[in-house]
Amino acid sequence: MPGIHITDVEAAINHWRQRSPSPDGVTLAPELRALAEVYALLIYHREDEADEASFPAAAHAAWLAWYSTTPDTPCIAICSTSQGDDVCKGCGRTFDEVQHWPEMTPASKRATWRRITLHADAWRFNRYSERAAEK
């Protein structure tokens, strides 16, 4: 089972910092506190990701709330897997990822997003980047 990468935990923390800023510079919102604990443990143990199943309930709920604000699919409506490619030239997902996307867990989807973003060779990152622009 894919884990939740530390960069996603950081993004969720930043989301909640913006949404629920500290009133006094010290006190954290409950969502921030829960995510900060996970983040601290990742740093302490020098880990890049945490198993989604082992996330504390409050941290997982806060992470899912952030996740719901991210684009669901990397698709740019140019799918070469329908033409027989093993990897889509448009979005960078494999044929299996395209086919099973609706059933994938949020952590699995984020792992796919991370991989295709790091590779950055799909058309969504160059030739047709305007289609991938966030609205």
Side-chain angles (χ1 to χ4, degrees), residues 13-28:
I13 287 171
N14 289 331
H15 166 81
W16 284 105
R17 285 179 62 207
Q18 201 170 28
R19 190 162 181 208
S20 302
S22 173
D24 57 9
V26 178
T27 308
L28 295 177

Side-chain angles (χ1 to χ4, degrees), residues 8 10 36 41 43 57 62 123 128:
D8 278 355
E10 289 172 347
L41 288 170
I43 297 296
W123 291 348
Y128 296 101

Side-chain angles (χ1 to χ4, degrees), residues 29-107:
E31 298 86 359
L32 274 168
R33 200 171 326 116
L35 289 165
E37 181 181 331
V38 171
Y39 185 79
L41 288 170
L42 286 169
I43 297 296
Y44 180 78
H45 292 290
R46 297 183 178 167
E47 299 287 338
D48 289 338
E49 60 183 33
D51 181 31
E52 184 178 19
S54 68
F55 249 54
H60 194 251
W63 183 82
L64 284 173
W66 163 78
Y67 170 80
S68 71
T69 68
T70 64
D72 178 56
T73 177
C75 181
I76 59 168
I78 301 174
C79 191
S80 68
T81 60
S82 62
Q83 304 301 316
D85 287 344
D86 290 333
V87 176
C88 180
K89 291 177 181 145
C91 69
R93 292 179 293 169
T94 66
F95 178 78
D96 283 341
E97 289 166 341
V98 171
Q99 293 299 307
H100 299 291
W101 192 260
E103 297 93 36
M104 290 172 67
T105 67

